[in-house]
Amino acid sequence: MTLLRAEHLTVRFGGLVAVKDVSFSVESGQIFCIIGPNGAGKTTLFNLFSRIYAPSAGRMLLDGVDFTTLPPHRIAQLGIARTFQNLELFDHATVLENLLVGRHRFRRHGFLAETGFDQVVWQAELESRRAVENIIDFLDLHRFRDTRVGALPYGVRKVIELGRALCSQPRLLLLDEPSSGLNAEESEDIGYWILDIKRHFGITVLMIEHDMRLMGQVSDRVLALNEGSVLAEGSVQEVQSHPQVIEAYLGVQA
Ligand SMILES: Nc1ncnc2c1ncn2[C@@H]1O[C@H](COP(=O)(O)OP(=O)(O)O)[C@@H](O)[C@H]1O
Ligand SMILES: [Mg+2]
């Protein structure tokens, strides 16, 4: 079953076409990886799927539902969560508090209900705590629970950002360069978490990755972009051995 469909997506910034007529489908349960040199349009695609940008042309569907013009604050409710290429955590808040932010989409009660602290609100709060504890267990974050995020090493903060996205119980998880800033060992660990996310929760993952080792470790399917256009799509082997992909990466005629 297709979970995400991108149909003829185009994004223009003034005279620059950052994404050109890009189409692809992500099947439910897949780990789908987007690769490409710097400036290829990868993050711009993610900014479309999280509705930070609007496409100049084309449309996007999640499970058959067109969300091309859905307001950005409805994206989490639709079941899409993301992480950022450069971490976006609250450094002055604790790990637990940052993870609870991931539960935001389940808050449906107004101020009056919250001040009244009625039974329904209490139930929702309990449910949120339970979901967060589940993710703390899963990612083995117990010892950091009450630590300020800003005081933690970069590698741990990357895992926390992943955890916050998981707390929203998404159907589609968007990871923008999960290994950026990590050493080889930490990068391999992130790879295991990503595989576990698929196995454990059955969440579909769409990720952008620079590190070819990590890409090969986790991907079911790969899309290569260059200068906003699709160069190739297929298995890891197919894409890695594609002459145009080799040329785009190495800058030589293959
Ligand atoms: N908000 C923006 N305004 C103008 N140009 C942008 C904006 N965002 C991205 N770009 C340009 O679009 C192109 C693709 O950028 P990006 O999607 O960030 O590439 P990637 O993530 O593949 O490295 C680049 O040339 C970049 O400079
Ligand atoms: Mg990018």
Side-chain angles (χ1 to χ4, degrees):
M1 191 200 88
T2 298
L3 183 63
L4 176 72
R5 257 196 79 64
E7 292 182 355
H8 305 290
L9 290 172
T10 295
V11 180
R12 282 183 246 277
F13 295 115
L16 176 86
V17 189
V19 172
K20 285 178 210 161
D21 194 24
V22 169
S23 298
F24 63 92
S25 295
V26 179
E27 296 301 305
S28 209
Q30 257 182 352
I31 299 179
F32 190 106
C33 193
I34 301 176
I35 62 167
N38 262 328
K42 305 180 300 294
T43 298
T44 302
L45 267 181
F46 269 28
N47 287 337
L48 287 181
F49 299 140
S50 43
R51 290 286 296 114
I52 293 173
Y53 297 158
S56 314
R59 54 178 209 152
M60 326 181 272
L61 299 100
L62 191 81
D63 202 5
V65 175
D66 189 330
F67 66 100
T68 315
T69 59
L70 198 72
H73 67 271
R74 298 281 306 282
I75 286 298
Q77 273 167 24
L78 188 68
I80 300 179
R82 77 176 286 185
T83 65
F84 292 84
Q85 190 168 351
N86 304 301
L87 290 171
E88 304 229 347
L89 290 165
F90 298 105
D91 281 353
H92 296 288
T94 66
V95 169
L96 182 65
E97 287 160 349
N98 269 277
L99 292 177
L100 279 165
V101 170
R103 298 294 303 172
H104 182 75
R105 78 154 165 135
F106 299 100
R107 292 195 157 261
R108 299 229 169 91
H109 312 290
F111 173 73
L112 280 178
E114 304 230 351
T115 47
F117 217 73
D118 62 25
Q119 196 64 25
V120 180
V121 177
W122 180 239
Q123 282 303 329
E125 182 67 22
L126 270 184
E127 176 56 33
S128 273
R129 293 277 165 170
R130 234 178 269 130
V132 168
E133 290 307 327
N134 205 5
I135 298 303
I136 287 177
D137 275 342
F138 173 70
L139 294 174
D140 200 15
L141 289 170
H142 285 286
R143 67 214 130 115
F144 305 122
R145 170 202 307 265
D146 298 314
T147 311
R148 253 191 342 106
V149 161
L152 290 166
Y154 191 79
V156 178
R157 284 189 277 154
K158 290 286 269 197
V159 176
I160 293 162
E161 203 193 23
L162 189 60
R164 184 176 61 186
L166 285 175
C167 282
S168 76
Q169 297 171 321
R171 287 198 284 168
L172 178 67
L173 179 60
L174 308 176
L175 306 177
D176 195 350
E177 299 204 21
S179 82
S180 80
L182 301 182
N183 65 35
E185 192 186 328
E186 290 169 329
S187 169
E188 195 178 337
D189 284 346
I190 282 280
Y192 289 123
W193 290 129
I194 294 169
L195 287 168
D196 270 354
I197 286 167
K198 168 178 151 171
R199 265 197 297 263
H200 242 79
F201 300 112
I203 294 173
T204 308
V205 178
L206 176 60
M207 61 187 265
I208 295 170
E209 189 45 63
H210 230 71
D211 177 342
M212 290 300 113
R213 283 255 299 271
L214 177 57
M215 184 275 274
Q217 181 190 354
V218 302
S219 304
D220 295 309
R221 200 161 177 82
V222 182
L223 178 85
L225 286 182
N226 191 32
E227 295 176 357
S229 300
V230 175
L231 278 187
E233 191 196 325
S235 67
V236 173
Q237 279 79 10
E238 283 164 350
V239 171
Q240 269 180 335
S241 60
H242 195 285
Q244 277 183 287
V245 174
I246 297 170
E247 191 188 328
Y249 270 88
L250 304 176
V252 294
Q253 206 69 40

